[in-house]
Amino acid sequence: MPYANDPSVKVTESTEENVKFIVENTDLSMANSLRRIFMAEVPTIAIDWVHLISNSTVLHDEFIAHRIGLIPLTSDGIVDRLQYSRDCGCADFCLECAVEFTLDVKATDDSTRAVTTRDLISSNAQCVPVTSRPRESDSSDYGLTDDILIVKLRRGQELKLKAYATKGFGKEHAKWNPTAGVAFEYDPDNALRHTTYPKPEEWPKSEHSQVDEDTPQAPYDYQGKPKKFFFNVESSGALKPETIVLSGLNVLKQKLSDLQVQHQHEMAQEALAI
């Protein structure tokens, strides 16, 4: 890595929803590569195929399918065992490449019936909507109102469907993005002047600021280079935050390994041609 002979990582906070860590002695391009890989190339599971058997709701089929596809599904413990559907030898979907979901709801009384992720039944207990998973924290923190609304039904309306969730990554579609957001900061006191504040004294200070409260920003360091990066990786619930980080690092490592092998192959071919 350029300018990164001895990079170091320090985890400052780790919760069920996000992880914060500091990466030092590396390059800005490498830090940004990590950010992009966490979002776009860490595989998860999401609903990719929906068969609407009956839909008499106010929303058309495509709208329903789109809403269901964006529901985050728990992927820890199963995503590594599933094949990509494009690599599977089955005709349509099988246990090796997909998880089946069913939904069958009909409003039978005059009150409005909310169809939510609670009504989405999975064939695999390890892959369920994130709002349906068991939680270690107090159940009062996650009540009925936390289920994701799909559609509302009035008396006589019905929604019945079958869906399959497959393995993918965010580069293909945003529904496979395991993060709710990934941010990193490398100049909390604006010493490098990569950002121009019209009124620095009115700009909110970073939590990583090292200047006095009365000092709006650090003196300009015209020779400075970014080398310390404060990361915050927030999970959508599909994967644990630490899993996103470790899986992203493995993806980057594999990409660099493939690049090295390809380069060596090209060099060998050129040597033989000579």
Side-chain angles (χ1 to χ4, degrees), residues 27-41:
D27 187 64
L28 178 59
S29 61
M30 181 57 64
N32 195 46
S33 296
L34 291 175
R35 181 188 66 86
R36 292 172 64 90
I37 283 177
F38 293 157
M39 295 189 297
E41 303 204 37

Side-chain angles (χ1 to χ4, degrees), residues 44-181:
T44 62
I45 299 172
I47 291 174
D48 193 43
W49 187 91
V50 180
H51 176 209
L52 273 299
I53 301 170
S54 176
N55 178 21
S56 57
T57 72
V58 296
L59 300 182
H60 53 75
D61 292 355
E62 290 81 3
F63 206 137
I64 295 288
H66 183 260
R67 289 182 65 81
I68 289 177
L70 292 176
I71 295 172
L73 306 175
T74 56
S75 304
D76 272 307
I78 185 174
V79 66
D80 291 335
R81 299 202 304 269
L82 281 186
Q83 299 185 54
Y84 289 102
S85 57
R86 56 181 171 271
D87 298 331
C88 189
C90 65
D92 292 312
F93 300 101
C94 68
L95 296 176
E96 300 298 322
C97 68
V99 177
E100 182 179 323
F101 287 82
T102 56
L103 188 150
D104 187 1
V105 180
K106 184 174 183 178
T108 57
D109 52 37
D110 292 332
S111 61
T112 300
R113 172 66 159 87
V115 181
T116 69
T117 48
R118 184 178 291 270
D119 300 303
L120 202 56
I121 308 302
S122 172
S123 63
N124 190 319
Q126 289 185 302
C127 183
V128 297
V130 296
T131 53
S132 302
R133 66 182 176 182
R135 307 186 70 93
E136 298 177 359
S137 57
D138 187 359
S139 59
S140 63
D141 293 339
Y142 288 84
L144 294 174
T145 57
D146 293 291
D147 291 318
I148 300 171
L149 178 67
I150 299 173
V151 68
K152 292 182 179 180
L153 306 181
R154 295 295 290 175
R155 185 184 182 94
Q157 292 182 333
E158 179 183 14
L159 179 62
K160 184 178 182 180
L161 60 85
K162 179 188 290 185
Y164 288 95
T166 61
K167 182 177 179 178
F169 44 85
K171 186 184 287 186
E172 296 179 283
H173 194 284
K175 63 188 175 184
W176 281 298
N177 182 353
T179 69

Side-chain angles (χ1 to χ4, degrees), residues 18-33:
N18 74 308
V19 59
K20 295 181 179 180
F21 58 94
I22 303 171
V23 181
E24 293 188 75
N25 301 321
T26 190
D27 187 64
L28 178 59
S29 61
M30 181 57 64
N32 195 46
S33 296

Side-chain angles (χ1 to χ4, degrees), residues 187 189-193 211 215-222:
D187 187 17
D189 294 315
N190 200 30
L192 305 179
R193 296 298 191 271
V211 299
T215 306
Q217 56 186 355
Y220 178 41
D221 182 4
Y222 66 93

